[in-house]
Amino acid sequence: MAEVVIVPGEAEAGELVAGAIVALIREKPDAVLGLATGSTPIATYQALARRIHDDRVDVRGVRGFALDEYVGLPPGHPEHYRAVITREVVEPLGLTPELVRVPNGDPAGIEHAGADYERAIVAAGGVDLQILGIGRTGHIGFNEPGSSLASLTRVKTLTEQTRTDNARFFDSPSDVPMHCITQGIGTILRARHLVLLAFGEAKAPAVAAAVEGPVSANQPGSAIQLHPHTTVIVDEAAASGLEHLDYYRHAWANKPAWQGI
Ligand code: GLP
């Protein structure tokens, strides 16, 4: 089962994940990070930026792969995930821009973009630590319900629920693209360590389904149960639908320190 860590809030989650990433980079200076967008990981990126700065961590060799991208947003749009990753990750952390990739959502050549991205991840030796959020539909990356658990990077149609949820980042709901390109669930499962973050009551049903529900394409997040090393970090509200809360708290309180997350 996934390890579930219940924290007071996003700041504490951020400190935990930042600690794990700094330890990874110290051991492997060209570590490959899997980067999620959305509001969930923002506090984690902020904590990581602080740690890198305060502890003078050399991140020049760190590589990154974003999970997903919208298809067909006009160049320069602030919600292009390339722009989001630059603004929220590459610049504050001081990563080398050329070493951080985002799937190419340009409609010209989109039919090859998925396979190109897969090749690039394999050529980099795979993702060491993948940060994940989870959508209210249960999606990870942009793998909406029904996505094959073996899927690789490809173009998907967004659900109306996800378009509505993400409309807050756009001037008008109709500006949210219909299509995206996303790492598949099979791609995500190849990362060596998955760290899934979720905060707030709205995420509680998706977290419960992902951690304790049946493994099903209908709940893409449930694919984490197939992975040998997944850490789920949630606040009390996002954890509120979990059945085995007492056990998760007990296991965390008694976890050998050497294990890390
Ligand atoms: C977004 C992203 C996902 C993200 C999820 C949750 O649309 N494509 O990678 O994990 O939906 O978003 P948020 O973190 O804003 O709740």
Side-chain angles (χ1 to χ4, degrees):
M1 72 168 28
E3 172 172 50
V4 179
V5 184
I6 300 141
V7 293
E10 298 183 32
E12 292 81 0
E15 292 302 330
L16 262 184
V17 183
I21 293 176
V22 166
L24 169 68
I25 296 170
R26 288 236 155 97
E27 199 179 300
K28 184 179 177 188
D30 63 347
V32 180
L33 302 179
L35 304 166
T37 48
S39 46
T40 302
I42 289 176
T44 293
Y45 296 138
Q46 289 170 346
L48 184 55
R50 274 194 304 275
R51 282 290 302 270
I52 288 169
H53 182 260
D54 293 352
D55 299 357
R56 297 172 184 273
V57 182
D58 183 354
V59 296
R60 284 171 298 176
V62 171
R63 296 165 292 165
F65 286 91
L67 274 174
D68 45 18
E69 175 62 287
Y70 290 112
V71 171
L73 274 186
H77 193 290
E79 276 309 301
H80 241 296
Y81 282 171
R82 170 86 247 174
V84 173
I85 290 285
T86 300
R87 201 167 62 226
E88 286 169 5
V89 184
V90 174
E91 287 175 354
L93 268 56
L95 302 185
T96 306
E98 307 84 71
L99 298 183
V100 179
R101 304 255 322 230
V102 179
N104 188 350
D106 186 341
I110 192 74
E111 57 276 35
H112 309 295
D116 289 350
Y117 205 63
E118 288 292 326
R119 271 194 295 275
I121 296 174
V122 170
V127 170
D128 291 302
L129 187 150
Q130 175 65 58
I131 298 169
L132 293 170
I134 188 163
R136 287 202 298 159
T137 64
H139 67 244
I140 51 174
F142 266 139
N143 294 282
E144 297 284 23
S147 295
S148 158
L149 300 182
S151 49
L152 301 179
T153 306
R154 75 254 183 259
V155 171
K156 290 288 287 178
T157 306
L158 295 172
T159 60
E160 284 307 298
Q161 168 88 71
T162 298
R163 293 185 70 226
T164 307
D165 284 350
N166 287 4
R168 66 190 193 279
F169 297 117
F170 290 80
D171 290 340
S172 141
S174 61
D175 289 352
V176 184
M178 198 67 75
H179 295 106
C180 62
I181 175 166
T182 180
Q183 286 191 31
I185 296 174
T187 320
I188 292 168
L189 289 178
R190 289 202 303 246
R192 286 180 269 281
H193 181 192
L194 303 181
V195 178
L196 188 147
L197 303 165
F199 309 107
E201 209 182 326
K203 299 290 177 75
V207 168
V211 176
E212 294 177 344
V215 175
S216 163
N218 204 32
Q219 283 292 337
S222 67
I224 62 170
Q225 296 176 44
L226 298 169
H227 196 281
H229 188 187
T230 299
T231 312
V232 176
I233 308 179
V234 284
D235 63 4
E236 295 282 348
S240 59
L242 292 167
E243 194 184 328
H244 301 296
L245 271 179
D246 289 347
Y247 176 68
Y248 304 138
R249 290 190 217 280
H250 175 70
W252 178 247
N254 292 290
K255 188 177 166 94
W258 57 264
Q259 283 184 341
I261 59 167

